[in-house]
Amino acid sequence: MKNILFILYGIVIFSFSGCKDQNKNTKVPLAVSKIEGKQLSIEKSLTEDEEIKTFVAPYRNRIKDEMNKVLSYVPNTLSKFDREYNTAIGNMMADALLEITNPVFHQRTGKNIDAVLLNHGGIRSSINRGDITTKTAYNIMPFENEAVVIELKGTQVLKMFEYLSKSEVAHPVAGMQLTLTEDNQIKTGRIQGKKVDLNKSYFIVTNDYLMDGGDHMNFFAIRESETYLDYKLRNVFIDYFKKHDTINPVRDERFIKQ
């Protein structure tokens, strides 16, 4: 390993020393003259570099220990496919986001979050019955999305309801109740148990991907404000699992079709 580093160091020094015009003693702009490459096959005959393996081992073991750390317990397997419009895992994720981020938002602004909206496609894994570990949080939310609170007027909240009524999937929600008829018309739509006031502002916590129009949630584009909480969704779930020794969410009446 040391010999390889010494050779690379020599190449770098030689390259820079050759970047001067010998007559004027000035640097000549570097330019790529040729790119070459070749395919290296990964085969069973290749052996591990023991020096590199030894060097990486403590870091790999530390990460493995951290990912396998038990945070909580779930008595039943949670899947995003267990019901058409309302799933236990979706309810858990929405409730967790509301519970963990509202104190942060309130401390910064003096206001409270009214509702939560995430996307069904953002749930990337089921949670199997048994111990919940740090790895569980990474499995259900492998992305770097962070929590952001969007201020919407009541008119835009109705557009959000309209989006949900047409999507026909179980997007995770909390703090709101949406009941659809058989033909996907909105029968009732409420925020914190009350009818939406068109002139009032509501604070909806979601993630930065959806705020920017991900999953065609374009209603977030017309907003009064946004507040980044500097909180990764994955970390929200980790903190929620640490806070509750047993996770046992249920399907309820927050988003249903009659």
Side-chain angles (χ1 to χ4, degrees), residues 186-250:
I186 299 174
K187 184 176 181 180
T188 60
R190 301 182 183 278
I191 297 287
Q192 293 295 325
K194 299 179 180 179
K195 185 178 179 180
V196 176
D197 184 339
L198 299 183
N199 297 312
K200 180 181 176 180
S201 285
Y202 294 89
F203 295 97
I204 314 297
V205 63
T206 184
N207 65 53
D208 52 343
Y209 167 72
L210 299 179
M211 179 190 72
D212 292 333
D215 240 348
H216 306 291
M217 294 192 184
N218 300 317
F219 50 85
F220 280 133
I222 303 177
R223 55 183 180 267
E224 304 302 304
S225 67
E226 70 268 356
T227 304
Y228 287 89
L229 301 182
D230 305 314
Y231 216 146
K232 302 286 187 186
L233 258 65
R234 180 171 54 244
N235 293 337
V236 167
F237 301 138
I238 289 174
D239 289 343
Y240 181 78
F241 295 148
K242 288 180 178 178
K243 186 177 178 181
H244 300 276
D245 59 6
T246 301
I247 305 297
N248 195 20
V250 296

Side-chain angles (χ1 to χ4, degrees), residues 127-186:
I127 299 179
N128 294 325
R129 187 172 78 112
D131 290 335
I132 292 177
T133 64
T134 303
K135 186 178 180 180
T136 305
Y138 276 80
N139 286 340
I140 62 174
M141 181 54 60
F143 313 112
E144 294 301 307
N145 299 132
E146 61 178 292
V148 58
V149 180
I150 310 299
E151 181 183 2
L152 295 180
K153 285 292 188 182
T155 50
Q156 290 305 110
V157 170
L158 292 186
K159 290 185 181 297
M160 179 178 70
F161 286 166
E162 183 179 353
Y163 168 88
L164 290 170
S165 70
K166 293 178 179 179
S167 65
E168 299 186 6
V169 294
H171 290 306
V173 300
M176 67 176 82
Q177 183 184 47
L178 188 63
T179 304
L180 307 179
T181 62
E182 279 294 332
D183 58 351
N184 289 338
Q185 299 301 307
I186 299 174

Side-chain angles (χ1 to χ4, degrees), residues 111-123:
K111 301 179 176 66
N112 290 311
I113 295 170
D114 295 295
V116 179
L117 174 59
L118 295 173
N119 63 320
H120 183 261
I123 307 172

